[in-house]
Amino acid sequence: MSVLVVGTVAFDTIETPSGSDKTLGGSAMYASAAASFFAPAQLIGVVGDDFEAQHLRFFERLGVGLQGLERRPGKTFHWAGRYSADFSNRETLATDLNVLADYSPKLPDKLRDAEILMLANIHPQQQIEALSQARMPRLVALDTMNLWIDTCRDDLQRALKQVDLLILNDEEARQLAQTPQLVKAGEALLKMGPRRVVVKKGEHGVLCFSEEGSFGFPAYPVADVVDPTGAGDCFAGAMLGCLASERALDESAYRRAMVYGTVLGSFVVEGLGPEKLRSLTRKEIETRRKELLQFAAAPNF
Ligand code: AMP
């Protein structure tokens, strides 16, 4: 199966305690790049005329399909964020929509049959537009953020009715479910439509809620975090890429996929932007997966 990712492609300005840097960014960039390690991945998004050949090469080297990447006159979406000294908080300094402002995702005909559709973080209306063009996806996943929960909850709830898997972080889960209790939030989110809800808790791991019960897994203990941007998107992309490589989408497939999601999330934070993904190998992924299972005291999993 293949993964079709809809979301943002961006230039990010990242401020960390060690300085400020510009890098390639965007939810769909991270998610499609991470998915590509496990299954054929395609990206749907928009960039401006400032998006150069070197940036396209990043995707080409990973084998991410760009048939659905539009180029428009104007500037590529730009996001700027600043991390606190311990990386536990992130402040958004700028969100310049640029070519994203009036973007309406278009799925080329050939891509409408994708089995797995990932609606990565982008305006919920744009997520709904993309979803309406997919023919018969076997699995639809959606990621979102606090901005959309604050500004267009109705659109988001409409989208949620049509998805199988919701992936979001703990703060967003509490905000969307309107309860400080995370377990209650998981249950409330399941009632909004998705069959499964995955709550990312950064360095504290991940929780999964479904009718089959709940499941938790720790994060890999990264010794040297450089830039946490994209960890959540890489988690989601890897998870879906992994599911795309499975025969049956059963409980154990979801659990395996969450472990691989955790592994990819742990790699991306070790470099600025998507730097780590440029040279990452499947062998390194497998080695870290084994280390993570040992760390989680789940060696036979
Ligand atoms: P994460 O660290 O997983 O939350 O993802 C960070 C990425 O999300 C960055 O590369 C940004 O370019 C992208 N991003 C930031 N704000 C938005 C937004 N409003 N809509 C879509 N993507 C965004």
Side-chain angles (χ1 to χ4, degrees):
M1 289 192 277
S2 60
V3 184
L4 183 61
V5 181
V6 182
T8 56
V9 179
F11 289 129
D12 287 350
T13 308
I14 313 281
E15 272 187 45
T16 66
S18 45
S20 171
D21 257 306
K22 281 203 115 188
T23 168
L24 191 57
S27 58
M29 180 282 288
Y30 283 111
S32 62
S36 71
F37 287 90
F38 305 95
Q42 292 275 349
L43 182 153
I44 305 286
V46 63
V47 294
D49 43 25
D50 53 355
F51 206 80
E52 294 166 8
Q54 49 156 325
H55 304 119
L56 294 173
R57 270 199 297 279
F58 168 81
F59 295 105
E60 284 158 5
R61 284 208 194 103
L62 288 170
V64 174
L66 297 178
Q67 290 163 47
L69 182 67
E70 270 181 57
R71 180 190 284 272
R72 289 200 177 172
K75 283 186 175 174
T76 298
F77 171 54
H78 170 246
W79 175 79
R82 180 193 291 141
Y83 289 93
S84 61
D86 64 357
F87 294 107
S88 65
N89 275 301
R90 179 168 83 187
E91 185 190 349
T92 289
L93 303 177
T95 301
D96 306 317
L97 293 178
N98 301 331
V99 293
L100 195 63
D102 55 357
Y103 170 62
S104 171
K106 279 186 198 58
L107 274 55
D109 195 59
K110 267 195 205 149
L111 302 184
R112 290 183 186 202
D113 292 316
E115 292 94 342
I116 296 199
L117 178 61
M118 158 128 202
L119 305 170
N121 182 25
I122 193 168
H123 193 294
Q125 191 53 48
Q126 291 166 324
Q127 292 179 317
I128 291 170
E129 279 166 32
L131 178 55
S132 70
Q133 297 165 51
R135 285 197 188 104
M136 284 267 284
R138 273 185 71 189
L139 175 68
V140 180
L142 180 145
D143 192 354
T144 192
M145 72 183 299
N146 50 5
L147 175 67
W148 312 128
I149 303 171
D150 279 338
T151 60
C152 38
R153 176 180 281 270
D154 289 350
D155 287 337
L156 182 56
Q157 287 197 309
R158 212 148 26 92
L160 283 180
K161 290 206 174 73
Q162 304 173 60
V163 309
D164 304 290
L165 172 64
L166 169 63
I167 305 176
L168 74 185
N169 72 30
D170 48 350
E171 200 186 315
E172 293 152 359
R174 291 186 169 98
Q175 192 186 347
L176 183 55
Q178 296 175 310
T179 169
Q181 303 275 2
L182 203 51
V183 174
K184 288 206 176 97
E187 288 161 3
L189 295 175
L190 283 175
K191 291 200 179 110
M192 292 184 190
R195 286 186 290 111
R196 193 174 285 269
V197 176
V198 172
V199 180
K200 300 166 287 183
K201 302 198 302 152
E203 63 179 325
H204 304 297
V206 65
L207 283 175
C208 177
F209 299 93
S210 74
E211 273 175 10
E212 270 117 304
S214 45
F215 167 73
F217 210 74
Y220 179 84
V222 175
D224 193 7
V225 175
V226 173
D227 167 21
T229 312
D233 302 315
C234 283
F235 172 90
M239 190 175 167
L240 291 169
C242 192
L243 286 169
S245 70
E246 295 274 356
R247 269 203 209 124
L249 299 182
D250 54 17
E251 182 65 23
S252 59
Y254 274 99
R255 292 184 181 202
R256 269 192 299 279
M258 280 171 59
V259 174
Y260 278 108
T262 300
V263 169
L264 263 283
S266 79
F267 275 118
V268 80
V269 305
E270 291 179 336
L272 175 75
E275 204 48 47
K276 264 277 173 168
L277 304 180
R278 289 180 198 274
S279 55
L280 187 63
T281 63
R282 193 62 206 245
K283 195 163 166 239
E284 289 172 302
I285 293 173
E286 290 307 327
T287 302
R288 182 159 293 186
R289 177 177 160 274
K290 287 193 191 107
E291 287 169 10
L292 174 62
L293 295 180
Q294 290 292 336
F295 174 76
N300 301 320
F301 181 45

